[in-house]
Amino acid sequence: MQSYIDTYKNMRKRLKAYEYAMWVLSWDLETETPEGALDYRSEQVEVLTTELYALQTDSAYLEAIDKLYATRNSLDELLRREIEKIVKDMRLIKKMPKDEYIQYQVLMSKSSSIWAEAKAKNDFNLFLPTLEKIIDFTRKTTKYLQTPELKGYDVLLDMYEEGMTMKEYDAFFLNLREELVPFVLSATSGKKPLSRKLTKGFFSIEKQKEFNKYLTTVFNFDLNRGVLKQSVHPFESNFSSTDVRITTKYLENAVESAVFSTIHEMGHGIYEQQISKDLIDTRLNMGASMGIHESQSRMYENMIGRSYAFWENHFDKLKEIFAKELKGVSLLDFYQYINRAERTLIRTEADELTYPLHIMVRYEIEKQLISGKLKAKDLPKKWRKLYQQYVGVRPKTDAEGVLQDIHWAGGSFGYFPTYALGSAYAAQIYQAMNKDFNIENAISNNEIYKINDWLREKIHQYGSSKSPKELILNATGEPFNSKYYVDYLKRKFSN
Amino acid sequence: MQSYIDTYKNMRKRLKAYEYAMWVLSWDLETETPEGALDYRSEQVEVLTTELYALQTDSAYLEAIDKLYATRNSLDELLRREIEKIVKDMRLIKKMPKDEYIQYQVLMSKSSSIWAEAKAKNDFNLFLPTLEKIIDFTRKTTKYLQTPELKGYDVLLDMYEEGMTMKEYDAFFLNLREELVPFVLSATSGKKPLSRKLTKGFFSIEKQKEFNKYLTTVFNFDLNRGVLKQSVHPFESNFSSTDVRITTKYLENAVESAVFSTIHEMGHGIYEQQISKDLIDTRLNMGASMGIHESQSRMYENMIGRSYAFWENHFDKLKEIFAKELKGVSLLDFYQYINRAERTLIRTEADELTYPLHIMVRYEIEKQLISGKLKAKDLPKKWRKLYQQYVGVRPKTDAEGVLQDIHWAGGSFGYFPTYALGSAYAAQIYQAMNKDFNIENAISNNEIYKINDWLREKIHQYGSSKSPKELILNATGEPFNSKYYVDYLKRKFSN
């Protein structure tokens, strides 16, 4: 057995080095590579992908994994979990016939640009044939991967959030539908979407960067093991806890945009920075799931970053940097502005209250697409109907409706629900933490490190060595329960 | 033979992809990697280096190279030159015993930081044992690589500038010593180094970036295939003509610093951008030599960028951006300021006139170190003596004397002379170009593209498919001749 472990660990080390290179190449693509270099870059990346694929499918490596998996109960706990995850991740590549797998990769390499064109032209039919193929492939995938326990959409849900099935999501969204939809529709009724900005000020990017730098110190995001950079779309990306990079998009007419996207990405980043060093050489050296990750980013952004206590503390700094631009704006004005709730069409711009309803639309639709009950061609109609029903608005165009998100073009079915789940996890984790110490006081006293420390101990340190369910139970003392989320939203938005 | 060609080209493609990854990793190291990630990064890079080494020493690949080299006269010209270059580059790895080679790599991995500490502490003796080892290794290297034609220092000179030997360098530096030293000593006599700045203005980095962006359009540096970025040390780095990256260091109290370092690096960059696309998949897809590269950067920086015609054209733009900071500074003031000549101690800060004399000191010393005539321990004394003799100043400390440059700590003996050679090439190329069209007029008419076009045709397009000597002959109609350089300097600095 030891020789299989040695083979496995040796290959893991090599694979990690390649993956590190691929990670830097992808960071470089997102932030530096000039347009004119893209074709030549693709050729190099194709060769490297082939090299990496050859390593990943090396027969001695595969044999070692098979043997270790067969005797996994005799392995130490970390290695066992690692092997289980790898076997799970490699299912598709093993079960789908190779030519079908390649066909799917080819489809994927084109689909995003077809979607982008369809969105730009507001022409759903341009995207429809591609989308139909993607859905077909996805349904086939669920067949290849199904088990006695998991079939259909459940297979996909489990890929993005280990252990979550329709049964649990249905209960979650039912709770939202019954409790939240009426609340939201009433709270936002008669309100038109606010077009006004906080001020008409022009917020220089240099000064915004200064404030964001300040935020890294407030949150203890470690720049010795991290990067904060400007880019076209905000994102977090990392390779090990020693190199965690986040980017922010700056809008010169809306200072709050970069503030909250930076706090959001720092939430992801602090999670990754606080993973135990013991996991650094393993495959468990990353956040546990999409949902857990999103719970951290949304807790930092919404529950901490948009709290009154937070801005009581830091609004002066913002006004110091933007004295002229924020003249006449009071703390209360600012607080209300950053917490306004309104019926809108675009998920990524939705506020904290209405956000989960946008997700609920997508969840319903995905479920029906994968079961075959809904056909792709009927999507736009279904979309408008559900938006009217859950969010209380109806898109006039497909560009601001069913075409708005890139996810389906990338074959990501089952991903959306984790966004809402993350917010709900966050509320449950927050109330558990609040029993150990008063979070608002910590925020008021500029002691966010207390929050970081608690999260490190209960969640972050484990990386993906524990499942999402174990983490939630471990951190909160009970299984996932969506009532905390509904309670939190109602309380916050009743004021 | 075709099967060897196929093997070679297939391996070249794979090797290039790895080298592309290593290049991006190194760019990332220079510009992004956070301090705290360095150790973990090193581990990954070590693994990748091992993988790359295994490819480079793959037996089928080596066999193909040997066979192709043996029958190189039957190959097409490009492939022949490529094979010859590879065989030359691989000499050391083949001829030095493996454990000695590894020992040397280990020494190299530490030497720069020892040098940096010695420089910071102004303590030559701290560096001396390391330097002695490096010199020993270097002298052994020359033995491993010697041929009937090339021995000792000549081996090293040829590594950095193909075909150049002591015989030619001696003649070059003799010309400088006889013609330039007396001229410089007289031109700078009685002058104290100017400590004054152009103005006491504070030049915001944002505005400097704006002017540098403007410079990219003036010089037609193609940002669609290039990057212009800020960093701690200016440099140019590229992988193919489609991805050419330059960085600049900005000083808030000296606007000219970034201007000229950007033009210098653009000179390197334009060279690389103009290499023929036909070479992109070959190993000839890079500048021909250190000397030719430096001739381009120095021509753009000094002969174009510091010319009166250039600033007649662009000083208004600079004053538009820095209206307040440059108030009262005339075009003539500016021109004289950026072309002042003075006796100084630090090579990298030396002006155009005195620069080659700094190099001459290093050339003399390297020659004697490699021949064994000079011992490392006697370096500081020798350094002070030669500086007094050639530059007319005497360093008070070793930090501003013999410890100032990193090159020897990196084992780079034979590199320095190419800096002076590059300037001399530049003068010869310039006069040849000036016969085809009036360069000053082109600069005045904002037609720098004419210069780019001429250089593309005569030099750039060839990458390293021609040797430096072929390029100089091809571009100027005669072999290298240092008189153009001396004439140019005397003419420019007599005014």
Side-chain angles (χ1 to χ4, degrees), chain A residues 13-14 16-18 20-21 23-25 27-28 31-38 40-41 43-45 47-48 51 55 206 223-227 229 239-240 242-245 280-281 285, chain B residues 13-14 16-18 20-21 23-25 27-28 31-38 40-41 43-45 47-48 51 55 206 223-227 229 239-240 242-245 280-281 285:
Chain A
K13 192 175 172 190
R14 292 175 68 193
K16 279 218 164 203
Y18 280 83
Y20 175 72
W23 174 70
V24 174
L25 289 178
W27 167 262
D28 189 76
T31 62
E32 296 280 8
T33 317
E35 195 71 21
L38 294 181
Y40 191 66
R41 177 194 183 277
E43 290 172 32
Q44 312 312 316
V45 168
V47 175
L48 291 168
E51 299 278 319
L55 271 193
E206 278 317 291
L223 285 176
N224 183 46
R225 296 181 294 136
V227 169
K229 192 174 176 174
F239 196 89
S240 93
T242 69
D243 198 341
V244 177
R245 305 181 181 190
I280 197 165
D281 290 324
N285 186 35
Chain B
K13 193 176 169 186
R14 292 175 68 192
K16 279 220 161 199
Y18 280 83
Y20 176 72
W23 173 69
V24 174
L25 290 177
W27 167 261
D28 189 77
T31 62
E32 296 280 9
T33 317
E35 195 71 20
L38 294 181
Y40 191 66
R41 177 193 183 278
E43 290 172 33
Q44 312 313 316
V45 169
V47 175
L48 291 169
E51 299 278 319
L55 270 194
E206 279 316 292
L223 285 176
N224 184 45
R225 296 181 294 137
V227 169
K229 192 171 177 175
F239 196 88
S240 93
T242 70
D243 199 341
V244 177
R245 305 181 182 190
I280 197 165
D281 291 324
N285 187 35

Side-chain angles (χ1 to χ4, degrees), chain B residues 187-224:
Chain B
T188 58
S189 92
K191 275 194 186 170
K192 280 195 183 168
L194 289 169
S195 62
R196 68 166 171 86
K197 292 279 165 199
L198 182 61
T199 79
K200 286 191 176 140
F202 167 90
F203 299 88
S204 101
I205 290 174
E206 279 316 292
K207 289 206 235 165
Q208 290 195 52
K209 284 182 179 168
E210 187 189 337
F211 187 72
N212 276 10
K213 192 89 185 271
Y214 166 79
L215 287 176
T216 63
T217 64
V218 170
F219 282 91
N220 290 308
F221 177 74
D222 183 357
L223 285 176
N224 184 45

Side-chain angles (χ1 to χ4, degrees), chain B residues 161-293:
Chain B
E161 194 69 15
E162 185 185 349
M164 282 295 287
T165 61
M166 279 187 275
K167 192 175 156 208
E168 282 154 306
Y169 273 122
D170 281 349
F172 171 38
F173 284 114
L174 180 67
N175 189 14
L176 294 191
R177 195 153 52 236
E178 288 180 350
E179 296 279 332
L180 206 59
V181 172
F183 176 76
V184 171
L185 292 182
S186 125
T188 58
S189 92
K191 275 194 186 170
K192 280 195 183 168
L194 289 169
S195 62
R196 68 166 171 86
K197 292 279 165 199
L198 182 61
T199 79
K200 286 191 176 140
F202 167 90
F203 299 88
S204 101
I205 290 174
E206 279 316 292
K207 289 206 235 165
Q208 290 195 52
K209 284 182 179 168
E210 187 189 337
F211 187 72
N212 276 10
K213 192 89 185 271
Y214 166 79
L215 287 176
T216 63
T217 64
V218 170
F219 282 91
N220 290 308
F221 177 74
D222 183 357
L223 285 176
N224 184 45
R225 296 181 294 137
V227 169
L228 171 59
K229 192 171 177 175
Q230 182 174 359
S231 75
V232 184
H233 301 291
F235 64 91
E236 183 271 342
S237 172
N238 66 287
F239 196 88
S240 93
S241 56
T242 70
D243 199 341
V244 177
R245 305 181 182 190
I246 62 179
T247 70
T248 297
K249 172 182 165 185
Y250 292 92
L251 299 178
E252 285 179 330
N253 63 351
V255 69
E256 74 285 1
S257 169
V259 167
F260 292 109
S261 90
T262 301
I263 299 177
H264 182 97
E265 303 306 335
M266 277 200 292
H268 288 302
I270 290 166
Y271 183 3
E272 294 286 344
Q273 286 190 334
Q274 297 206 117
I275 292 176
S276 164
K277 284 206 169 47
D278 297 344
L279 298 176
I280 197 165
D281 291 324
T282 74
R283 296 228 160 264
L284 307 172
N285 187 35
M286 62 181 76
S289 70
M290 307 306 299
I292 299 289
H293 238 300

Side-chain angles (χ1 to χ4, degrees), chain A residues 298-315:
Chain A
R298 287 182 190 263
M299 188 191 302
Y300 279 91
E301 178 193 344
N302 291 328
M303 308 186 74
I304 304 168
R306 294 185 199 266
S307 70
Y308 194 78
F310 186 83
W311 289 102
E312 264 188 324
N313 228 331
H314 305 292
F315 191 59

Side-chain angles (χ1 to χ4, degrees), chain A residues 11 49 104 167 256 323:
Chain A
M11 285 298 289
T49 305
Y104 183 65
K167 192 176 157 208
E256 73 285 1

Side-chain angles (χ1 to χ4, degrees), chain B residues 20-75:
Chain B
Y20 176 72
M22 299 303 265
W23 173 69
V24 174
L25 290 177
S26 129
W27 167 261
D28 189 77
L29 176 68
E30 299 286 345
T31 62
E32 296 280 9
T33 317
E35 195 71 20
L38 294 181
D39 288 346
Y40 191 66
R41 177 193 183 278
S42 291
E43 290 172 33
Q44 312 313 316
V45 169
E46 201 185 316
V47 175
L48 291 169
T49 307
T50 311
E51 299 278 319
L52 180 54
Y53 182 86
L55 270 194
Q56 283 166 332
T57 54
D58 173 86
S59 57
Y61 175 58
L62 294 183
E63 191 198 348
I65 290 173
D66 282 347
K67 299 284 184 187
L68 293 173
Y69 188 73
T71 56
R72 62 190 180 279
N73 290 325
S74 66
L75 300 176

Side-chain angles (χ1 to χ4, degrees), chain A residues 228-374:
Chain A
L228 171 59
K229 192 174 176 174
Q230 183 174 359
S231 76
V232 184
H233 301 291
F235 64 91
E236 183 270 344
S237 172
N238 67 288
F239 196 89
S240 93
S241 56
T242 69
D243 198 341
V244 177
R245 305 181 181 190
I246 61 180
T247 70
T248 297
K249 173 183 165 186
Y250 293 93
L251 299 178
E252 285 179 329
N253 63 352
V255 68
E256 73 285 1
S257 169
V259 167
F260 292 109
S261 91
T262 301
I263 299 177
H264 182 96
E265 302 306 335
M266 277 199 294
H268 287 302
I270 290 166
Y271 184 4
E272 294 286 344
Q273 285 190 334
Q274 297 207 117
I275 293 176
S276 164
K277 283 204 171 49
D278 298 343
L279 298 176
I280 197 165
D281 290 324
T282 75
R283 296 230 161 262
L284 307 172
N285 186 35
M286 61 182 77
S289 70
M290 309 305 301
I292 299 289
H293 238 301
E294 204 66 13
S295 75
Q296 302 307 293
S297 57
R298 287 182 190 263
M299 188 191 302
Y300 279 91
E301 178 193 344
N302 291 328
M303 308 186 74
I304 304 168
R306 294 185 199 266
S307 70
Y308 194 78
F310 186 83
W311 289 102
E312 264 188 324
N313 228 331
H314 305 292
F315 191 59
D316 283 352
K317 180 71 184 179
L318 190 68
K319 283 201 84 158
E320 182 191 316
I321 294 177
F322 294 107
K324 215 173 61 189
E325 296 84 344
L326 290 177
K327 203 177 161 191
V329 177
S330 72
L331 170 58
L332 191 63
D333 291 340
F334 184 75
Y335 174 72
Q336 287 175 336
Y337 182 75
I338 62 174
N339 285 295
R340 69 202 183 284
E342 55 204 27
R343 301 179 185 181
T344 56
L345 290 168
I346 307 297
R347 177 185 62 83
T348 54
E349 293 164 14
D351 53 72
E352 188 183 3
L353 177 64
T354 58
Y355 190 86
L357 309 180
H358 291 257
I359 298 303
M360 200 155 74
V361 171
R362 288 154 177 81
Y363 174 71
E364 291 283 326
I365 286 177
E366 287 190 348
K367 219 166 78 167
Q368 296 186 19
L369 282 174
I370 302 303
S371 76
K373 196 176 152 195
L374 177 67

